[in-house]
Amino acid sequence: MIKRLGYVLALGGVMTVLAGCGENNEASMDNNGNTNNGADNNVEENNNSNNENNANNENNNNSNTDNNSNEAVEEDVDELVMGFIPSQDAAEIATTAEPLEEFLSEELGIDVRAEVMVDYSGLIEAMRTQQVDIGFLNPFGFVQAEDRAGVEVILKSIRHGSDSYVAQYTVPADSHIEDLDDLLEEEGLVWAYPDDLSTSGFLFPAKQLMDMGVENLDNQFQRLSVGGHDNAIMQLIDEQADFATTFDDARDTLADEFPDIHEDLRVIGYTDEIPNDTISVRSELSDNLKEQIQDAFMSLNDNEEMLEVMHEIYTWDGVAIAESSDYDIVRDVFAEFEDDLAN
């Protein structure tokens, strides 16, 4: 409507100018018997001026349209979905995250809802299709999500004062397996781990075992993917696996239920350092909203109640600003398994 009105006004201006010029020309003809060159020049100047005004109006209208479009995108975000991966019972994570939902909703002025996904692949796909806005992605999950879905890392977790961690190998206390070398001595050991896309649960240990001499993981081990770090530990308690790989120290997630777990299960080794888990955002969120989300999560560092919630969910003690380059070491491991995990 604004653009159409601009055109009407501009057209009216042109007609007025032409009418005035016609009168001047007629007067010149009466007085001189021929047309007045000065009037022609005035017509041209007026036309040029009106054309410039039209162009300026059109540019302004386009600018307003772009601004309105950007505002519309912001207004359309009336809910933010946080995607979690179960490191423990999914229903428990959803319940534990409720205070975080309320806190972020108040901080951002937008409803925030937590959703526990089945696995890493599901979370990556949900972020790719813009169904999940904020992803609590493990390091490898982030690297893959950045590659496949254009997600952006904004924060990383702090545990025990550090922004990195290690994966650990755990066996039953009475196991004949004493160290990592023993894992290579016999074939057919049952290996329990959370997920094929778990950085500490599978990828870093798998790369380490291959570097130690395992040529084919499937020939060497019976692989048992169980959907969570606590579930991997449970396989040892239930005597369903010979060893498990998890983050350090996943035994703590079950300590309330099994008070003697640190005596019943023994750690035999660790991987190299791994950068901590991420908070990442989907590609189509506005920069302004990304910044608001980052600020809201950073404020958790000064909120003891929210830090307790994060510790219950993922044993996080805080968050720090993160950059994509922090995860270059993970990309190196990803390159090792990219062909196997591409599908």
Side-chain angles (χ1 to χ4, degrees), residues 22-90:
E23 292 174 359
N24 289 336
N25 287 341
E26 288 176 4
S28 297
M29 288 286 288
D30 289 340
N31 294 330
N32 302 323
N34 50 41
T35 59
N36 189 304
N37 291 333
D40 288 341
N41 291 336
N42 288 337
V43 170
E44 184 175 355
E45 290 175 1
N46 287 333
N47 283 337
N48 288 338
S49 175
N50 284 321
N51 287 338
E52 289 175 2
N53 288 336
N54 278 340
N56 289 335
N57 287 337
E58 184 171 356
N59 288 336
N60 289 335
N61 287 336
N62 288 338
S63 177
N64 290 334
T65 299
D66 291 340
N67 290 336
N68 290 338
S69 177
N70 290 334
E71 291 174 3
V73 170
E74 293 294 341
E75 292 171 0
D76 286 341
V77 181
D78 54 6
E79 181 186 62
L80 292 171
V81 178
M82 298 185 295
F84 292 88
I85 294 298
S87 61
Q88 50 186 298
D89 181 76

Side-chain angles (χ1 to χ4, degrees), residues 228-244:
H229 292 262
D230 59 338
N231 289 338
I233 294 296
M234 278 300 303
Q235 303 309 305
L236 301 178
I237 294 174
D238 293 339
E239 301 181 351
Q240 298 300 307
D242 295 298
F243 73 100

Side-chain angles (χ1 to χ4, degrees), residues 175-204:
S175 173
H176 66 283
I177 302 171
E178 295 295 331
D179 54 34
L180 299 187
D181 289 331
D182 288 343
L183 299 178
L184 280 63
E185 294 298 321
E186 60 180 295
E187 294 182 357
L189 293 174
V190 179
W191 173 13
Y193 59 89
D195 188 284
D196 284 354
L197 298 183
S198 173
T199 308
S200 60
F202 177 72
L203 292 162
F204 266 69

